[in-house]
Amino acid sequence: MKSVELSEEKRRYSGRTVIQLGRYMLQYKWMLALAFVCTLGSNLFSLIGPKLTGLCIGAVEPGRGGVDFGAVFYYAAWMAGFYLVSAVMSYGLQVLMLTISRRVVYRMRQDVFEKLLSLPVGYFDVHQTGDIISRISYDIDTVNASLSNDLVQLLTTVITVVGALVMMITISPWLVLVFAFTVPVSILITRYITGRTRPLFRLRSAKMGEMNGFVEEMITGQKTLKAYGREEYTQGRFDMKNKAAVEAYYRAEYYGSTVGPCVNFINNLSLSLISVFGALLYLAGKMTVGNISSFVLYSRKFSGPINEAANIFSELQSALAAAERVFRLLEEAPEPADAEGAEELSRVEGDVQMVHVSFGYQPERTIIHDLSFRAEPGRLIAIVGPTGAGKTTLINLLMRFYDPDSGEILVDERRADQLTRRSLRKAYAMVLQDTWLFYGSIYENLSYGKAGATREEVEAAARAARIHSFIMRLTEGYDTVLTDEGTNISKGQKQLLTIARAMLLDAKMLILDEATSNVDTRTEQQIQRAMRELMKGKTCFVIAHRLSTIENADHILVVDNGEVVEQGTHRQLMGGDSMYRRLYEAQFE
């Protein structure tokens, strides 16, 4: 019962997928209308050819020399003209469909990327990057190929089949009865096979996404992979992923490819039947040789497109499976909208409070338990604690990447959930342990968060972060292009650049999540002093493992199991048998 319900749900989603694709294409309805006219004209002109062929043959009378060459040349000339017009319109159709598919795919990629920017952080926590990239590249490319090629063939099939059927009826309604047997058999075979192959194409797209996600992860972690000598193990895992993807691809293509030969056999059977019954009708004086010739040609035009449609049906199944993955992403719930009447956070002072906040990434597992604290404006607040205590989760809550399950967060005595996310996040400058730099010049990377930043402002921030002298030693200075997330500089230098970028912002609050973990102690102390100078009047949250770097913090929060178990200054916390003291002394044993 459950499998039947699942199958029915998938069938409904396939229907929705077709409708959604149709909506994209209807944005270019006038081009589609012109494409339909070209399809109609191209096929109708092509369908006149067999009729003229029959007339040419009819101009040949039994007996030697009984040929009306005038009639033959007359009909042949018209045939050539019609075929030429058909070819021109067919070319125009191809150009139109390529243009439409290009625009649809362009719009679809824009929508997918725009959707990715609107999704909550939680979506990226549970989906592989490679799988997401696979949807925006491989899956959309598959849709593009289907729109530009398969759709044209389907339109041609419909018009050609209907036109050929009409012409055959005008020639011999009795002979058309052959298709009353062969066409239903072809339809039944096609429906049966495609019904079995549709899930296989969904599986193929999913397995390709899994393999791409695995490859992306392994490429990103190459250094760790080699350091631990896990090449053979990783190769084994990739072989499994690759084998699963290849087998899914093979099974989908193998069973999908059986449609064409089966339908082709039925069509050839129909031709044999037409030949037999056509000969009987000729002997009975019901048909001429010319009519039989025209009917045979029309029967090929009737059955040929059906065979082609069966051959491309597997490609259409693949395209629908790919489109389904794309539309599932587009249907993901975006980050919740701002509350009705949400205010812009302006004239920020930096007074931040958490009041009885509880939170868990999963409803059944609470990480933050009844947490309360206050960070007064201009204070340096350090957050320390063992791994998994909930330190980074606090930052996610402050930035509203997630909202608390209960309790409230206040900024300047205003509830954070009553402020617009954009204005709240712009009030913070943020430097993470995992640095992020994009392909571009150093100047472009440093000024990323502040549009219109002058060269002087950028250099001042770089000096404060103790990275200016390094930049000036580079051949192109601030115009040096960083490649592939900054792989042409060291990780410590990358972190200094991200710190300089944060210093450049006009934010009243700063978050540093292990931001100096990749620089030496002396440089870290210099940065701390420089930041203290630059961050006067600003609230700063620092997550640190090296407790020696936050000894001068105005206030230290010790977090354990999602609760602030201790708080105070360094001197106060070192005064007794505290958790903070144990953590501090453990680093110097």
Side-chain angles (χ1 to χ4, degrees):
M1 180 66 72
K2 188 174 181 180
S3 62
V4 172
E5 293 176 357
L6 186 61
S7 175
E8 182 64 28
E9 191 275 333
K10 288 184 175 180
R11 193 177 298 112
R12 288 198 301 270
Y13 201 93
S14 294
R16 294 214 314 271
T17 301
V18 173
I19 293 172
Q20 288 169 311
L21 271 176
R23 287 173 182 164
Y24 271 96
M25 297 191 70
L26 285 175
Q27 295 178 31
Y28 311 100
K29 53 182 177 291
W30 296 115
M31 294 181 70
L32 279 173
L34 184 57
F36 180 75
V37 170
C38 287
T39 306
L40 190 63
S42 173
N43 287 279
L44 289 180
F45 282 120
S46 177
L47 284 168
I48 297 174
K51 185 70 174 177
L52 294 172
T53 299
L55 293 173
C56 284
I57 294 174
V60 180
E61 297 180 4
R64 187 173 182 181
V67 179
D68 185 351
F69 283 105
V72 170
F73 289 138
Y74 175 78
Y75 292 129
W78 275 106
M79 196 187 314
F82 284 133
Y83 280 137
L84 178 62
V85 174
S86 174
V88 171
M89 298 189 78
S90 180
Y91 172 75
L93 172 64
Q94 291 289 346
V95 172
L96 280 169
M97 291 309 300
L98 283 171
T99 303
I100 292 171
S101 66
R102 183 191 67 188
R103 294 186 179 182
V104 167
V105 166
Y106 173 79
R107 180 72 256 174
M108 193 179 291
R109 278 209 174 98
Q110 275 193 321
D111 290 347
V112 169
F113 193 76
E114 183 179 334
K115 183 68 177 185
L116 290 174
L117 295 180
S118 71
L119 290 174
V121 171
Y123 179 85
F124 302 95
D125 289 340
V126 296
H127 288 83
Q128 287 182 310
T129 303
D131 184 57
I132 296 172
I133 294 173
S134 180
R135 298 190 192 204
I136 202 172
S137 56
Y138 169 77
D139 288 332
I140 292 183
D141 281 341
T142 302
V143 173
N144 179 33
S146 182
L147 290 180
S148 59
N149 298 316
D150 301 336
L151 195 59
V152 173
Q153 288 183 295
L154 279 181
L155 289 172
T156 300
T157 295
V158 173
I159 295 171
T160 302
V161 166
V162 173
L165 180 62
V166 171
M167 297 301 288
M168 286 190 294
I169 291 173
T170 61
I171 294 171
S172 175
W174 292 105
L175 209 51
V176 173
L177 292 177
V178 169
F179 295 106
F181 165 70
T182 57
V183 170
V185 173
S186 297
I187 292 173
L188 289 173
I189 289 175
T190 302
R191 287 192 63 183
Y192 175 79
I193 296 176
T194 54
R196 297 295 184 274
T197 56
R198 189 179 297 114
L200 298 178
F201 282 103
R202 289 195 186 98
L203 181 64
R204 185 181 80 168
S205 292
K207 291 300 180 183
M208 289 294 292
E210 287 180 16
M211 186 183 71
N212 289 338
F214 179 79
V215 170
E216 190 272 337
E217 285 181 354
M218 294 305 104
I219 290 175
T220 303
Q222 273 293 303
K223 291 180 180 178
T224 304
L225 187 155
K226 291 182 180 297
Y228 283 89
R230 301 291 279 177
E231 290 91 344
E232 291 186 9
Y233 170 76
T234 304
Q235 181 64 55
R237 289 188 63 196
F238 175 75
D239 287 345
M240 292 174 60
K241 300 279 185 184
N242 190 24
K243 184 178 180 180
V246 169
E247 286 184 351
Y249 195 97
Y250 172 79
R251 283 168 57 83
E253 293 294 334
Y254 174 80
Y255 289 106
S257 65
T258 59
V259 178
C262 291
V263 174
N264 194 36
F265 168 75
I266 301 299
N267 290 336
N268 288 330
L269 179 62
S270 69
L271 185 60
S272 301
L273 294 173
I274 288 168
S275 300
V276 172
F277 291 116
L280 294 174
L281 289 171
Y282 172 77
L283 292 174
K286 301 292 185 181
M287 290 186 74
T288 66
V289 174
N291 283 340
I292 293 175
S293 175
S294 295
F295 196 97
V296 169
L297 290 174
Y298 279 123
S299 72
R300 299 308 293 169
K301 282 190 171 292
F302 179 81
S303 59
I306 294 177
N307 187 41
E308 291 175 4
N311 285 327
I312 67 169
F313 215 84
S314 61
E315 296 176 18
L316 286 171
Q317 292 297 309
S318 175
L320 283 176
E324 183 178 317
R325 278 166 49 82
V326 173
F327 291 133
R328 282 189 185 277
L329 190 153
L330 289 173
E331 290 175 356
E332 288 287 342
E335 193 169 46
D338 293 325
E340 186 176 350
E343 304 175 19
E344 292 285 326
L345 181 59
S346 57
R347 296 191 297 275
V348 183
E349 295 181 6
D351 187 351
V352 180
Q353 297 181 63
M354 281 193 177
V355 183
H356 301 296
V357 168
S358 295
F359 171 76
Y361 293 104
Q362 299 173 350
E364 66 278 4
R365 185 184 176 192
T366 302
I367 297 175
I368 303 296
H369 306 270
D370 194 28
L371 175 60
S372 298
F373 74 84
R374 179 179 183 183
E376 297 178 355
R379 306 290 292 277
L380 175 59
I381 308 299
I383 305 172
V384 302
T387 300
K391 302 185 294 298
T392 301
T393 301
L394 290 180
I395 303 305
N396 288 336
L397 293 172
L398 289 174
M399 295 288 288
R400 282 201 72 193
F401 293 144
Y402 296 89
D403 285 321
D405 298 329
S406 63
E408 58 185 15
I409 300 173
L410 305 176
V411 180
D412 294 343
E413 299 184 352
R414 286 181 284 181
R415 288 181 52 175
D417 57 1
Q418 297 300 315
L419 302 170
T420 63
R421 283 186 175 83
R422 183 177 178 83
S423 64
L424 174 67
R425 290 169 182 170
K426 285 181 71 68
Y428 287 95
M430 193 172 190
V431 181
L432 301 176
Q433 182 178 6
D434 296 325
T435 57
W436 179 75
L437 298 170
F438 56 86
Y439 183 91
S441 68
I442 289 177
Y443 173 80
E444 290 170 335
N445 272 276
L446 293 183
S447 60
Y448 180 73
K450 185 177 181 180
T454 65
R455 190 63 166 251
E456 290 75 19
E457 290 176 320
V458 170
E459 291 186 7
R463 285 191 179 93
R466 303 298 191 268
I467 192 65
H468 173 74
S469 59
F470 165 76
I471 296 172
M472 296 307 296
R473 288 197 298 271
L474 299 173
T475 306
E476 302 295 329
Y478 281 85
D479 296 320
T480 300
V481 174
L482 300 178
T483 60
D484 192 18
E485 297 188 357
T487 53
N488 51 345
I489 60 175
S490 72
K491 196 161 187 176
Q493 290 158 348
K494 285 167 61 177
Q495 252 181 347
L496 292 173
L497 289 174
T498 58
I499 291 170
R501 181 169 62 194
M503 288 180 171
L504 188 63
L505 298 179
D506 295 326
K508 286 292 185 181
M509 296 176 286
L510 175 66
I511 293 174
L512 301 173
D513 187 354
E514 292 293 326
T516 56
S517 60
N518 289 312
V519 298
D520 61 87
T521 304
R522 182 172 177 274
T523 304
E524 187 174 39
Q525 291 173 346
Q526 291 175 332
I527 292 173
Q528 292 287 347
R529 286 196 297 269
M531 288 178 58
R532 293 283 290 183
E533 185 66 26
L534 287 172
M535 298 301 292
K536 282 183 178 178
K538 300 179 181 181
T539 308
C540 184
F541 295 91
V542 178
I543 294 178
H545 280 147
R546 284 190 281 183
L547 304 187
S548 59
T549 62
I550 48 93
E551 292 179 2
N552 296 321
D554 296 308
H555 201 68
I556 299 173
L557 302 176
V558 183
V559 181
D560 189 29
N561 292 324
E563 299 180 10
V564 176
V565 294
E566 298 167 359
Q567 52 184 309
T569 63
H570 172 74
R571 178 174 293 182
Q572 291 171 340
L573 294 173
M574 289 293 289
D577 183 21
S578 64
M579 180 178 182
Y580 176 82
R581 180 172 181 171
R582 291 192 296 274
L583 289 172
Y584 186 88
E585 291 177 346
Q587 294 186 6
F588 296 96
E589 288 182 356

